[in-house]
Amino acid sequence: LVKAVKRERPENIEEIVPEQSEVGEHQSNGAIERAIQTHNGQLKTMKIGLEQRYGGTIEKEHNIWPWVVMYAAMLYNICHVQEDGRTAWEKKKGRKFKKLVPEIGECIFYLKPESVKEKEEAMWSKGVCAGIREESTEICVMTPEGTNKARSYAGLPEDQRWSRKFLEIVKG
């Protein structure tokens, strides 16, 4: 899994150094083991939901899976209320996360950023939601040409939100 994330998003990972815990010191790993357990549970839920939406298994090599891993962590940070009544997002940013976001893997229309707009092209384009950028809260969008980021998006009609054919041609 780490290799897949590094392959798809190498700019976000400088170096991963595995650590070995001391023999017999399971309690020293308690918090991290619980965090891994929570993240794995979130991943499993998102995988089941995504495959159910698309009506079958999505190949493990599909380029959406590294995005699902990152999005699972992001959702936990913006949604899980801790003992002090605040989320990790609130602690870091000083405010609640209020943006309405599409479901991971959902087909959407997104407003093309200025850098990819061309006068003869439409301003809106179709893509697949791949998550949220923590730095800016922009939506990450997979398209047949590659990945874009967008500030604005619009949902498609229900019968077009989960197009298996479109999911198979997007890159990211």
Side-chain angles (χ1 to χ4, degrees), residues 24-113:
E25 292 298 318
H26 297 290
Q27 288 185 347
S28 65
N29 291 330
I32 193 66
E33 285 179 7
R34 181 66 187 123
I36 291 169
Q37 198 175 43
T38 300
H39 190 257
N40 286 344
Q42 180 72 18
L43 281 174
K44 185 176 182 180
T45 301
M46 291 173 73
K47 178 183 186 296
I48 291 168
L50 190 59
E51 290 181 336
Q52 187 174 29
R53 293 279 199 190
Y54 278 106
T57 303
I58 299 173
E59 300 76 30
K60 64 181 180 181
E61 295 82 19
H62 195 282
N63 53 11
I64 197 161
W65 294 124
W67 291 100
V68 173
V69 172
M70 290 184 283
Y71 199 49
M74 181 70 172
L75 286 176
Y76 185 81
N77 287 337
I78 63 176
C79 297
H80 178 73
V81 179
Q82 299 175 356
E83 290 177 8
D84 65 356
R86 299 187 319 157
T87 65
W89 176 272
E90 289 176 77
K91 289 178 181 180
K92 183 175 182 182
K93 302 286 187 174
R95 65 184 188 285
K96 291 184 180 207
F97 186 91
K98 294 182 180 179
K99 189 170 188 170
L100 185 61
V101 294
E103 194 172 330
I104 186 91
E106 181 179 343
C107 296
I108 59 172
F109 277 125
Y110 70 98
L111 186 61
K112 292 181 180 181

Side-chain angles (χ1 to χ4, degrees), residues 127-141:
V128 172
C129 174
I132 308 166
R133 290 190 70 224
E134 183 178 356
E135 304 83 4
S136 62
T137 69
E138 294 167 301
I139 304 292
C140 298
V141 183

Side-chain angles (χ1 to χ4, degrees), residues 140-152:
C140 298
V141 183
M142 295 167 47
T143 71
E145 295 79 36
T147 306
N148 285 324
K149 54 188 177 182
R151 292 180 54 158
S152 301

